[in-house]
Amino acid sequence: MVAKRSSVDPAPASGPPNVAVRVAEKRGYEVPMEQPERADRSGRDAGRAGGVLVVADPPRRPRWRERISMTLDLIRANPTGRIALKIFISIAGALVVTIGIALIPLPGPGWLLVIAGLGIWAVEYHWARRLLGFTRRHVHGWTQWVTRQSLAVRIVLGSVGLVFVATVVWLSLKYSLGIDVIAEAMHYLATH
């Protein structure tokens, strides 16, 4: 439980004030003040002879991300807010993923919307965060592999990609709208 301070007691100067924590404490919610010790930093320089290990601080996140994180912490400090946030994130992610899956066979940003929906779910669900990390690693690995290949291999890969996209567009138009582009093109060429 968080101990209440009087207005004359000085605030501890352990770091920058966290507005979400202060507001949650003011409303009477229990907020853990100590962060768990990270395994990669504990005891790193223990037993090292003759020297001090200086660990650089991680790069600072942009201000807008800090504000979003602070707002989410404030919402999660309230039990009702935590449930409402989980429901909202679940519905919003499901909506974006569903639209993305529906758009995958059509030309457009189907896969991009599926990944965006995973990003929305990753705010609240650990499995989505892991799946998003897996996807990022493999897309980055694929991109690095392609850039190391010769120009001929990249042209072949690009051609295969274009043929695949053209086939998907042709099948989508043929079976969803009833327009056979190849038959129409052949008819046009035969009549003109």
Side-chain angles (χ1 to χ4, degrees):
M1 178 133 170
V2 176
K4 299 205 180 243
R5 292 189 312 248
S6 69
S7 61
V8 292
D9 289 339
S14 62
N18 189 342
V19 177
V21 170
R22 282 188 287 153
V23 171
E25 285 177 343
K26 188 176 181 181
R27 292 183 180 173
Y29 296 111
E30 185 174 333
V31 180
M33 296 303 291
E34 294 182 12
Q35 295 293 326
E37 186 68 29
R38 288 179 40 189
D40 61 341
R41 290 193 181 196
S42 62
R44 186 181 284 181
D45 57 348
R48 181 173 272 202
V52 176
L53 179 67
V54 178
V55 179
D57 288 334
R60 208 171 141 87
R61 293 192 308 181
R63 189 169 177 87
W64 63 271
R65 288 190 71 179
E66 285 182 5
R67 186 175 287 285
I68 289 173
S69 178
M70 198 178 332
T71 304
L72 290 174
D73 288 343
L74 179 62
I75 292 170
R76 287 184 186 120
N78 182 342
T80 306
R82 189 178 316 119
I83 292 170
L85 179 66
K86 192 171 277 266
I87 291 170
F88 175 76
I89 293 293
S90 299
I91 292 172
L95 185 66
V96 173
V97 167
T98 303
I99 291 171
I101 288 173
L103 291 178
I104 285 174
L106 301 174
W111 283 109
L112 188 64
L113 285 175
V114 170
I115 292 172
L118 273 177
I120 292 171
W121 275 337
V123 169
E124 202 57 34
Y125 297 107
H126 184 67
W127 62 266
R129 200 171 306 126
R130 283 192 352 242
L131 185 58
L132 192 60
F134 174 83
T135 304
R136 281 183 184 161
R137 281 191 310 273
H138 281 74
V139 167
H140 182 70
W142 169 255
T143 306
Q144 292 297 319
W145 181 82
V146 168
T147 56
R148 287 191 308 263
Q149 302 308 311
S150 67
L151 183 61
V153 172
R154 285 189 268 168
I155 288 174
V156 168
L157 289 172
S159 301
V160 168
L162 286 175
V163 167
F164 176 74
V165 169
T167 304
V168 168
V169 169
W170 172 62
L171 290 172
S172 298
L173 290 174
K174 183 175 180 179
Y175 291 113
S176 62
L177 299 177
I179 301 171
D180 190 0
V181 179
I182 295 177
E184 294 288 330
M186 296 298 235
H187 178 63
Y188 178 78
L189 290 175
T191 57
H192 288 88

